[in-house]
Amino acid sequence: MTPDFRLDRTLSADELEAVLRQVGHERYHIRHPFHRLMVEGALTRGQMQAWALNRYCYQAVIPRKDAIVLSRIEDRPLRLAWRERILDHDGDGSTPGGIERWMRLATGLGLDADTVASQRLALPATRFSVGAYLTLVEKRTLLEAIASSLTEMFSPQVIGERVSAILQKYPYVDEDTLGYFKPRLTQAPRDVDVALAFVREHARTVETQQLVVDALIAKCEILWTMLDALHFSYVEPGLVPPGAFRPGDGA
Amino acid sequence: MTPDFRLDRTLSADELEAVLRQVGHERYHIRHPFHRLMVEGALTRGQMQAWALNRYCYQAVIPRKDAIVLSRIEDRPLRLAWRERILDHDGDGSTPGGIERWMRLATGLGLDADTVASQRLALPATRFSVGAYLTLVEKRTLLEAIASSLTEMFSPQVIGERVSAILQKYPYVDEDTLGYFKPRLTQAPRDVDVALAFVREHARTVETQQLVVDALIAKCEILWTMLDALHFSYVEPGLVPPGAFRPGDGA
């Protein structure tokens, strides 16, 4: 395979899955310098705030993303399975969902909830990346929309690193504040089972397999670009675009 | 007015235009450090290539952007005026349009035309920014779609700075290679007259005026974010995301 994952023949389902795992190995944001700084304990509180505030925009859009996917699924059993994602993120009215749990992380880091929820101090690059995710699931095929969710294959690893490092190295963050992550360790593998089974079943030609691989690369680029923008504005060279969050704001 | 351009009353058309010019003064990418480096003559040939290659993605999408706007205009005279933009950028089959002229700039800087046209080495942040522009003109109101074009009010200034600096400070670029810019100096003001007249006429409440101001800010953010990404990957800290152009590639 070429470095940019061009397939030259139809793969078996297992081979396709292996390529997808290789995409994650090379392109998932666990390799990004900003994540590395976080797990090394090298980020300031202001940088952690910038991360939480921007990542909130991503969390907030997930149920809408999944509603677009849901609207495109004709198979009722698959709709039932996909619907769980919306419940997980929006909550069910009593148990808080992922968005509320992420907000708890943001406020635990000292941010004001209304400021975070308004998204008005987020980096434009964050909003454009999140928008690219919505556009992908709306305009590409359903197969690609589902394949783009497969970054969840790699999320338990990034969450594992993140949670243990934050608890050890950022004394102002407690386990309660990190309540977002624990449920994701069981939700994500369940969601992956559904999405991976769909992809394995429906991508049986080299053309559709390439679409799947490219959709996963595109999703990795979305997550990576969000960290590029954080790194640029809050680490090096530290140029915050006009109107965006500056540590000290919204606290 | 507050620093983020919140209007607290309905403005006259002249006052609205003054606010829009103030948005440009504060937010247009002429103030971006990457542009400043360019006009100081401080960019390497590889950095100039990265700029031309990424900006090509923006140029290439403009006729599609304007076709979306065109599809939303009910007034025939306005459609006739707006159609000129598509001709300017796509050409008319004999005179080359803006996209071809930009390609000439890219190849004049030593890039391979097929590589540039494929857009496969562009930064993801460039593609997401360009995608955000398409989404804006598709999903917001026609008034906002038209207002977002008003960055053209400020483009003669940026072009003037850019062309004279490039000719003076980058000896490997000649006037012919910069053929993109000269026609823009007459096209842009003509386009601004049309768009500004529409905005002045149709934004007569504080709510619609705020939409106009915010659309122009959003467009400034799109242009600014493209330069942020170039600066991050090719100036400081110089972290090129996986799969994107590295100086020396595609030459």
Side-chain angles (χ1 to χ4, degrees), chain B:
Chain B
M1 204 178 347
T2 60
D4 56 349
F5 298 100
R6 293 308 91 194
L7 307 180
D8 55 11
R9 61 176 177 85
T10 305
L11 306 178
S12 70
D14 284 347
E15 287 172 327
L16 175 61
E17 185 174 332
V19 172
L20 297 173
R21 293 192 185 279
Q22 187 61 25
V23 168
H25 179 71
E26 295 183 24
R27 301 286 185 101
Y28 192 54
H29 62 173
I30 199 167
R31 298 174 74 109
H32 195 284
F34 191 88
H35 176 74
R36 301 321 314 166
L37 290 174
M38 186 182 295
V39 299
E40 286 161 14
L43 296 183
T44 65
R45 187 180 166 95
Q47 290 166 333
M48 292 291 278
Q49 288 179 332
W51 167 68
L53 179 140
N54 277 276
R55 174 81 184 199
Y56 178 85
C57 303
Y58 177 84
Q59 299 302 141
V61 94
I62 293 299
R64 292 172 53 211
K65 184 276 290 185
D66 283 315
I68 296 172
V69 177
L70 198 61
S71 78
R72 303 184 65 189
I73 297 173
E74 298 194 14
D75 179 57
R76 196 176 64 88
L78 183 58
R79 277 204 304 275
L80 294 183
W82 207 270
R83 193 171 74 185
E84 292 302 312
R85 294 169 178 254
I86 300 180
L87 299 180
D88 288 345
H89 287 275
D90 270 340
D92 62 8
S94 55
T95 317
I99 298 174
E100 291 162 272
R101 298 200 315 276
W102 194 274
M103 180 61 88
R104 171 141 199 184
L105 171 61
T107 56
L109 286 167
L111 293 165
D112 170 68
D114 290 343
T115 303
V116 174
S118 76
Q119 304 186 27
R120 67 187 174 79
L121 299 182
L123 295 168
T126 301
R127 286 187 271 110
F128 301 160
S129 302
V130 166
Y133 197 15
L134 289 179
T135 302
L136 188 163
V137 300
E138 181 184 327
K139 303 215 166 170
R140 297 200 199 178
T141 62
L142 176 61
L143 178 65
E144 290 162 281
I146 287 177
S148 70
S149 75
L150 288 173
T151 44
E152 296 283 20
M153 288 196 284
F154 322 117
S155 73
Q157 193 193 350
V158 85
I159 288 175
E161 280 195 10
R162 209 184 266 153
V163 169
S164 67
I166 291 178
L167 290 176
Q168 277 172 46
K169 296 175 179 167
Y170 300 85
Y172 50 90
V173 186
D174 61 20
E175 205 161 344
D176 218 40
T177 300
L178 295 181
Y180 171 77
F181 297 104
K182 200 172 169 192
R184 294 304 304 151
L185 294 173
T186 49
Q187 291 165 354
R190 179 208 62 199
D191 291 345
V192 165
D193 287 346
V194 172
L196 198 54
F198 183 90
V199 162
R200 288 173 61 106
E201 187 182 334
H202 290 86
R204 292 175 180 252
T205 65
V206 64
E207 291 80 11
T208 51
Q209 290 175 344
Q210 189 70 63
L211 292 179
V212 162
V213 170
D214 289 347
L216 183 59
I217 292 174
K219 173 66 175 307
C220 288
E221 288 174 342
I222 287 166
L223 297 171
W224 190 276
T225 299
M226 289 169 65
L227 294 190
D228 274 0
L230 283 167
H231 202 103
F232 175 77
S233 290
Y234 301 108
V235 180
E236 188 190 4
L239 294 171
V240 179
F245 174 77
R246 290 168 188 277
D249 286 2

Side-chain angles (χ1 to χ4, degrees), chain A residues 3-74:
Chain A
D4 57 347
F5 298 99
R6 293 307 91 194
L7 308 180
D8 54 12
R9 61 176 176 85
T10 305
L11 307 177
S12 70
D14 284 347
E15 287 172 327
L16 175 60
E17 184 174 330
V19 171
L20 297 173
R21 291 190 187 281
Q22 187 61 25
V23 168
H25 180 68
E26 295 183 24
R27 302 284 185 101
Y28 191 55
H29 62 172
I30 198 166
R31 299 175 75 109
H32 195 284
F34 191 88
H35 176 73
R36 303 319 314 165
L37 290 174
M38 186 182 295
V39 299
E40 287 161 13
L43 296 183
T44 65
R45 188 181 165 95
Q47 289 166 333
M48 292 290 280
Q49 288 178 331
W51 166 67
L53 178 140
N54 278 277
R55 173 82 184 198
Y56 179 85
C57 303
Y58 177 85
Q59 299 302 142
V61 95
I62 293 300
R64 292 173 52 210
K65 184 275 290 184
D66 284 316
I68 295 172
V69 177
L70 199 61
S71 77
R72 303 185 65 190
I73 297 174
E74 298 195 14

